């Protein structure tokens, strides 16, 4: 079968993967209301395309934290990629690099920061979970910086793991042949089995629930890398993040895997963008599956988006070639959306190119008296 869009990889991954692995990748928290909403909300935004504009040349390049990339579509951190494919994070790193875009490596990768760096050139960010043992955190951040990672994506929505019922039913744990590679030498690389989710138990044991804004400042004392705060969905937290020295915000609900019944990220985006007032860039992840979704996020003020599940599903289906294909399909769709909307550069994408359900009705002429 010819794969013609990103979503089709999910069904292929479901066929190929053991149930425990597929469920871990696919599931969301509790009722999975937010999981569906992350997708559905995009359909509440329609286009107001402009016509008769020369769109023979389209430039999708952009600069993120000073790094030039080929398109505003980047790779979100997703854990345990070798569970999807033997080449795991290596394949993702190569595919992102070939596409000229940024890969974010998860703290819980099944390949270490050094191993991923050794795959070749590429702009990479490191996603950080803060462990109770701060020496572990400091060591890991230094290793990432030394390995050439360019920024920290600090995940702030996971003081405890969300309740993912599929993982509880499956008693999810990392297959015995895999380890959390970044923590291997620190005796924290294995995940024990538990009566419920092995991952939830691991998080309860290791991840620091006391994490607070003062730690964002502490992080800045141990690294020169800029910090993106991943998991902000309100104006209030946006303002505090900027005060705390964040250099970017990722509007994210963790792919709907943490608190259920938070809004879709595309619904929360504009609030955050307004609060940021252009002081720092705002990014979005969650439910992006089409080039039209990318355009909508940019029209609402995002500087770029990240994709999570499409990477693991395509990795499971076709390894590096699958991830390359996902990035290429999204790129092509986004380019087409720009052309059909009358935009030739990212700067030309404006709020007026879309209309949302929450916009006030446009002024219409009243009835003639
Ligand atoms: C994630 N996500 C995630 N986030 C993070 O900060 N660290 C991590 O290790 C992981 N791991 C992870 C695994 C899997 C299987 C998924 C689906 C998600 C969240 C991820 O970075 C991102 O926020 C979402 O995946 C974006 O939503 P979509 O694109 O999956 O809808």
């Amino acid at each position: 079968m010819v794969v013609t869009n990103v979503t089709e990889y999910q069904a292929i991954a479901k066929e190929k993967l053991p149930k425990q692995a597929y469920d871990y990748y696919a599931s969301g928290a509790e009722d999975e209301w937010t999981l569906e909403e992350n997708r559905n909300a995009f359909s509440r935004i329609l286009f107001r395309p402009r016509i008769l504009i020369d769109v023979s040349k389209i430039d999708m390049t952009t600069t993120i934290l000073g790094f030039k990339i080929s398109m505003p579509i980047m790779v979100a951190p997703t854990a345990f990629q070798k569970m999807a494919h033997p080449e795991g994070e290596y394949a993702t790193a190569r595919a992102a690099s070939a596409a000229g875009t940024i890969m974010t490596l998860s703290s819980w990768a099944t390949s270490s920061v050094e191993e991923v760096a050794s795959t070749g050139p590429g702009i990479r960010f490191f996603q950080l979970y803060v462990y109770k043992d701060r020496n572990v955190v400091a060591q890991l951040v230094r290793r990432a910086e030394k390995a050439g990672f360019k920024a920290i994506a600090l995940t702030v929505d996971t003081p405890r793991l969300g309740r993912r019922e599929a993982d509880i039913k499956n008693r999810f744990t990392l297959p015995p042949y895999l380890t959390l590679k970044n923590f291997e030498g620190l005796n924290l690389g294995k995940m024990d089995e538990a009566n419920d989710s092995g991952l939830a138990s691991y998080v309860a044991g290791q991840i620091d629930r006391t994490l607070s804004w003062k730690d964002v400042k502490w992080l800045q004392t141990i690294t020169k890398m800029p910090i993106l705060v991943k998991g902000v969905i309100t104006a209030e937290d946006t303002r505090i993040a900027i005060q705390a020295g964040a250099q970017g915000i990722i509007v994210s609900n963790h792919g709907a895997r943490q608190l259920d019944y938070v809004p879709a990220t595309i619904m929360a985006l504009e609030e955050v963008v307004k609060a940021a007032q252009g002081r720092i860039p705002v990014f979005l992840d969650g439910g992006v599956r089409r080039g039209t979704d990318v355009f909508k996020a940019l029209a609402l003020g995002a500087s770029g988006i990240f994709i999570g599940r499409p990477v693991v599903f395509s990795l499971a289906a076709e390894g590096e070639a699958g991830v390359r294909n996902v990035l290429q399909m999204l790129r092509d769709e986004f380019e087409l959306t720009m052309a059909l909307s009358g935009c030739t550069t990212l700067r030309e994408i404006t709020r007026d190119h879309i209309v949302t359900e929450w916009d006030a009705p446009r002024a219409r002429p009243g009835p003639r008296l």
Side-chain angles (χ1 to χ4, degrees), residues 21 24-27 35 38-39 76-80 105-109 127-129 153-158 164 230 250-257 285-289 306-310 312-313:
Y24 169 73
Y25 292 141
S27 61
L35 184 64
N38 268 356
R39 283 298 305 135
T78 49
F80 320 144
L105 183 73
S106 167
S107 275
W108 294 337
Q127 177 270 327
L128 184 67
Y129 281 129
L154 175 68
T155 302
V156 294
D157 56 16
T158 312
R164 306 164 190 174
K230 175 176 184 283
I250 306 175
V251 175
S252 172
N253 52 33
H254 212 114
R257 294 157 76 81
D285 73 29
V288 176
R289 302 290 181 268
F306 293 83
I307 49 167
R309 289 183 187 81
V312 281
F313 292 146

XYZ file of all heavy atoms in Angstrom, residues 21 24-27 35 38-39 76-80 105-109 127-129 153-158 164 230 250-257 285-289 306-310 312-313, ligand 1:
415
model
N 3.799 -2.487 23.327
C 4.550 -1.353 22.779
C 3.605 -0.382 22.056
O 3.654 0.828 22.275
C 5.627 -1.855 21.827
N 1.547 1.611 24.461
C 2.338 2.650 25.130
C 2.452 3.894 24.242
O 2.293 5.025 24.707
C 3.735 2.135 25.502
C 4.632 3.272 25.929
C 4.448 3.896 27.165
C 5.618 3.777 25.074
C 5.225 4.987 27.538
C 6.395 4.861 25.444
C 6.197 5.461 26.671
O 6.948 6.552 27.031
N 2.721 3.683 22.961
C 2.883 4.826 22.045
C 1.560 5.548 21.783
O 1.507 6.771 21.701
C 3.465 4.353 20.704
C 4.887 3.866 20.769
C 5.306 2.756 20.036
C 5.840 4.518 21.557
C 6.622 2.307 20.084
C 7.146 4.082 21.613
C 7.541 2.975 20.876
O 8.831 2.545 20.930
N 0.509 4.767 21.624
C -0.750 5.349 21.140
C -1.578 6.009 22.238
O -2.306 6.970 21.976
C -1.582 4.257 20.466
N -1.453 5.523 23.459
C -2.486 5.879 24.430
C -2.321 7.271 24.994
O -1.273 7.906 24.904
C -2.507 4.844 25.564
O -1.263 4.837 26.214
N -6.884 13.553 24.160
C -6.230 12.912 23.009
C -7.040 13.156 21.733
O -6.494 13.562 20.703
C -6.078 11.402 23.264
C -5.319 10.617 22.195
C -3.865 11.065 22.111
C -5.365 9.108 22.490
N -7.121 17.004 20.856
C -5.912 17.535 20.194
C -6.064 17.504 18.680
O -5.584 18.382 17.979
C -4.676 16.717 20.597
C -3.950 17.281 21.815
O -4.308 18.330 22.345
N -2.911 16.580 22.255
N -6.732 16.476 18.160
C -6.986 16.391 16.708
C -8.210 17.219 16.313
O -8.166 18.020 15.392
C -7.237 14.937 16.284
C -6.032 14.080 16.169
C -5.041 14.568 15.106
N -5.621 14.730 13.787
C -5.406 15.802 12.998
N -4.642 16.795 13.385
N -5.966 15.873 11.814
N 9.556 16.036 18.259
C 9.361 16.088 19.714
C 10.081 14.913 20.367
O 10.327 13.892 19.724
C 7.861 16.011 20.032
N 10.385 15.036 21.658
C 10.999 13.893 22.347
C 9.975 12.801 22.602
O 8.895 13.066 23.142
C 11.465 14.511 23.673
C 10.516 15.646 23.907
C 10.189 16.190 22.548
N 10.287 11.591 22.187
C 9.458 10.451 22.578
C 10.398 9.358 23.085
O 11.435 9.089 22.491
C 8.602 9.911 21.413
O 9.424 9.732 20.255
C 7.456 10.847 21.073
N 9.992 8.749 24.186
C 10.845 7.794 24.890
C 10.927 6.463 24.137
O 10.100 6.179 23.270
C 10.280 7.566 26.293
N 11.928 5.676 24.460
C 12.017 4.242 24.096
C 11.839 3.963 22.603
O 11.063 3.100 22.211
C 10.958 3.413 24.847
C 10.746 3.798 26.281
C 9.486 3.749 26.855
C 11.813 4.197 27.078
C 9.280 4.096 28.180
C 11.617 4.547 28.402
C 10.342 4.494 28.950
N 15.852 14.879 21.680
C 16.082 13.546 22.239
C 15.493 13.478 23.637
O 15.718 14.361 24.465
C 17.589 13.255 22.296
C 17.952 11.853 22.787
C 17.630 10.796 21.736
C 19.426 11.764 23.179
N 14.754 12.419 23.919
C 14.157 12.234 25.242
C 15.215 11.853 26.272
O 16.160 11.137 25.974
C 13.101 11.128 25.164
O 12.720 10.724 26.465
N 15.015 12.308 27.507
C 15.824 11.804 28.631
C 15.758 10.277 28.672
O 16.734 9.612 28.990
C 15.259 12.309 29.962
O 15.728 13.574 30.304
N 14.583 9.759 28.358
C 14.359 8.315 28.445
C 14.596 7.617 27.110
O 13.926 6.631 26.773
C 12.942 8.028 28.917
C 12.676 8.473 30.318
C 13.608 8.665 31.301
C 11.410 8.773 30.906
N 12.998 9.074 32.455
C 11.648 9.142 32.241
C 10.108 8.755 30.428
C 10.616 9.498 33.107
C 9.069 9.107 31.288
C 9.322 9.474 32.618
N 15.538 8.113 26.365
C 15.877 7.473 25.100
C 16.546 6.129 25.374
O 17.163 5.923 26.431
C 16.816 8.369 24.312
N 15.719 16.802 25.797
C 14.571 16.931 26.709
C 14.982 16.447 28.084
O 15.542 15.359 28.223
C 13.389 16.113 26.174
C 12.174 16.120 27.089
C 12.186 14.985 28.092
O 12.678 13.899 27.787
N 11.676 15.222 29.286
N 14.660 17.234 29.081
C 15.107 16.895 30.436
C 13.947 16.581 31.375
O 13.009 17.362 31.512
C 15.908 18.079 31.003
C 16.538 17.851 32.376
C 17.642 16.797 32.317
C 17.090 19.158 32.930
N 14.059 15.404 32.022
C 13.251 15.101 33.204
C 14.155 15.316 34.399
O 15.296 14.825 34.416
C 12.769 13.644 33.186
C 11.572 13.404 32.289
C 11.591 12.389 31.342
C 10.413 14.161 32.428
C 10.479 12.142 30.533
C 9.299 13.919 31.613
C 9.344 12.916 30.687
O 8.248 12.678 29.897
N 14.947 21.143 26.492
C 13.484 21.237 26.584
C 13.116 20.652 27.944
O 13.177 19.431 28.144
C 12.817 20.471 25.451
N 12.795 21.530 28.868
C 12.514 21.097 30.238
C 11.028 20.744 30.345
O 10.164 21.617 30.230
C 12.859 22.231 31.215
C 12.505 21.969 32.670
C 13.366 20.865 33.270
C 12.624 23.254 33.485
N 10.757 19.478 30.571
C 9.357 19.026 30.647
C 8.812 19.321 32.032
O 9.362 18.847 33.032
C 9.269 17.528 30.299
O 9.800 17.366 28.994
C 7.839 17.028 30.354
N 7.736 20.104 32.081
C 7.246 20.603 33.370
C 5.844 20.091 33.722
O 5.260 20.523 34.705
C 7.267 22.150 33.386
C 8.682 22.670 33.316
C 6.424 22.731 32.241
N 5.347 19.171 32.909
C 3.983 18.689 33.157
C 3.947 17.280 33.748
O 2.918 16.624 33.743
C 3.155 18.736 31.856
C 3.812 17.941 30.715
O 4.710 17.125 30.986
O 3.407 18.154 29.556
N 5.090 16.831 34.282
C 5.159 15.428 34.710
C 5.755 15.249 36.109
O 6.719 14.513 36.296
C 5.961 14.607 33.663
O 5.460 14.926 32.352
C 5.827 13.107 33.860
N -2.351 6.229 32.462
C -2.565 5.665 31.129
C -3.031 4.232 31.327
O -2.251 3.343 31.674
C -1.264 5.734 30.329
C -0.724 7.160 30.316
C 0.707 7.243 29.903
N 1.235 8.577 30.142
C 2.497 8.920 29.977
N 3.372 8.033 29.541
N 2.900 10.148 30.226
N 8.644 23.132 28.387
C 7.716 22.297 27.607
C 6.553 21.852 28.485
O 6.756 21.108 29.457
C 8.458 21.056 27.077
C 7.577 20.047 26.353
C 8.425 18.913 25.779
C 7.615 17.932 24.975
N 6.834 16.992 25.790
N 7.103 25.726 24.906
C 6.426 24.745 24.059
C 5.042 24.512 24.651
O 4.912 23.999 25.766
C 7.214 23.424 23.949
C 8.660 23.706 23.487
C 6.505 22.453 22.982
C 9.568 22.478 23.451
N 4.022 24.973 23.928
C 2.650 24.717 24.339
C 2.404 23.233 24.073
O 2.422 22.784 22.924
C 1.657 25.588 23.543
C 0.223 25.234 23.897
C 1.941 27.059 23.799
N 2.238 22.485 25.145
C 2.157 21.025 25.015
C 1.306 20.473 26.138
O 1.347 20.976 27.262
C 3.576 20.430 25.113
O 3.538 19.014 25.168
N 0.520 19.446 25.849
C -0.133 18.697 26.928
C 0.392 17.265 26.925
O -0.294 16.331 27.289
C -1.662 18.770 26.837
C -2.193 18.374 25.461
O -1.609 17.525 24.787
N -3.302 18.977 25.048
N 1.645 17.122 26.497
C 2.350 15.844 26.546
C 1.631 14.809 25.676
O 1.528 13.638 26.019
C 2.437 15.358 27.995
C 3.670 14.559 28.312
N 4.640 15.000 29.170
C 4.089 13.347 27.880
C 5.594 14.076 29.266
N 5.283 13.066 28.485
N 1.113 15.281 24.557
C 0.385 14.356 23.693
C -0.816 13.745 24.405
O -1.185 12.603 24.168
N -1.431 14.542 25.308
C -2.632 14.114 26.050
C -2.378 12.908 26.946
O -3.262 12.098 27.195
C -3.784 13.828 25.094
N -1.158 12.797 27.450
C -0.786 11.634 28.268
C -0.687 11.967 29.750
O -0.409 11.102 30.566
C 0.545 11.075 27.775
C 0.440 10.497 26.390
C 1.775 10.467 25.688
N 2.677 9.417 26.112
C 2.623 8.154 25.696
N 1.681 7.786 24.871
N 3.508 7.280 26.101
N 3.136 21.508 20.313
C 3.022 20.119 19.865
C 1.687 19.559 20.317
O 1.024 20.119 21.187
C 4.214 19.246 20.313
C 4.207 18.916 21.803
O 3.143 18.838 22.426
O 5.311 18.712 22.356
N 1.258 18.465 19.671
C -0.011 17.832 20.037
C -0.962 17.752 18.866
O -1.556 18.753 18.468
N -1.060 16.566 18.293
C -2.075 16.329 17.266
C -1.752 16.856 15.879
O -2.618 16.818 15.009
N -0.541 17.333 15.668
C -0.204 17.845 14.336
C 0.015 16.661 13.384
O 0.920 15.849 13.590
C 1.068 18.733 14.372
C 1.451 19.175 12.962
C 0.853 19.921 15.288
N -0.843 16.552 12.395
C -0.761 15.407 11.465
C -0.822 15.834 10.004
O -0.702 15.012 9.105
C -1.939 14.426 11.714
C -2.009 13.886 13.125
C -0.864 12.924 13.441
N -0.964 12.411 14.791
C -0.373 12.960 15.860
N 0.386 14.040 15.725
N -0.511 12.441 17.067
N 6.170 20.696 16.774
C 6.876 19.427 16.959
C 5.884 18.278 16.769
O 4.709 18.415 17.123
C 7.447 19.327 18.367
C 8.546 20.302 18.673
C 8.260 21.608 19.077
C 9.883 19.913 18.596
C 9.273 22.508 19.385
C 10.908 20.796 18.906
C 10.601 22.101 19.298
N 6.378 17.166 16.252
C 5.530 15.978 16.128
C 6.085 14.840 16.988
O 7.294 14.622 17.048
C 5.406 15.499 14.659
C 6.781 15.388 13.979
C 4.485 16.420 13.882
C 6.746 14.647 12.658
N 5.164 14.126 17.648
C 5.557 13.018 18.516
C 5.213 11.664 17.913
O 6.050 10.984 17.325
N 3.941 11.267 18.028
C 3.547 9.923 17.587
C 3.853 9.612 16.129
O 4.226 8.466 15.819
C 2.062 9.682 17.884
C 1.773 9.534 19.381
C 0.320 9.217 19.637
N -0.011 9.235 21.052
C -0.254 10.339 21.759
N -0.184 11.525 21.186
N -0.562 10.249 23.042
N 3.691 10.575 15.204
C 3.996 10.217 13.814
C 5.418 9.668 13.652
O 5.668 8.827 12.795
C 3.823 11.545 13.068
C 2.803 12.282 13.879
C 3.119 11.929 15.298
N 7.207 7.868 16.024
C 7.334 6.480 16.502
C 6.550 5.503 15.625
O 7.003 4.373 15.387
C 6.941 6.299 17.991
C 8.063 6.748 18.888
C 5.650 6.977 18.366
N 5.416 5.929 15.112
C 4.644 5.017 14.253
C 5.354 4.752 12.927
O 5.401 3.611 12.449
C 3.235 5.567 13.994
C 2.346 5.589 15.222
C 1.399 6.594 15.409
C 2.452 4.597 16.188
C 0.581 6.611 16.534
C 1.637 4.601 17.323
C 0.709 5.615 17.495
C 5.892 11.392 24.550
N 6.161 12.658 25.024
C 7.297 12.859 25.778
N 7.579 14.110 26.247
C 8.702 14.340 26.961
O 8.936 15.472 27.360
N 9.568 13.307 27.229
C 9.346 12.050 26.808
O 10.145 11.155 27.051
C 8.161 11.799 26.076
N 7.867 10.534 25.644
C 6.755 10.322 24.876
C 6.498 9.055 24.383
C 5.409 8.836 23.558
C 5.162 7.477 23.013
C 4.546 9.910 23.223
C 3.381 9.706 22.308
C 4.785 11.158 23.718
C 5.355 13.818 24.606
C 5.870 14.373 23.280
O 7.095 15.039 23.456
C 4.893 15.379 22.654
O 4.540 16.333 23.610
C 3.632 14.717 22.086
O 3.910 13.443 21.574
C 3.017 15.566 20.986
O 1.807 15.050 20.572
P 1.592 14.098 19.295
O 2.381 14.688 18.140
O 2.083 12.745 19.694
O 0.127 14.144 19.104
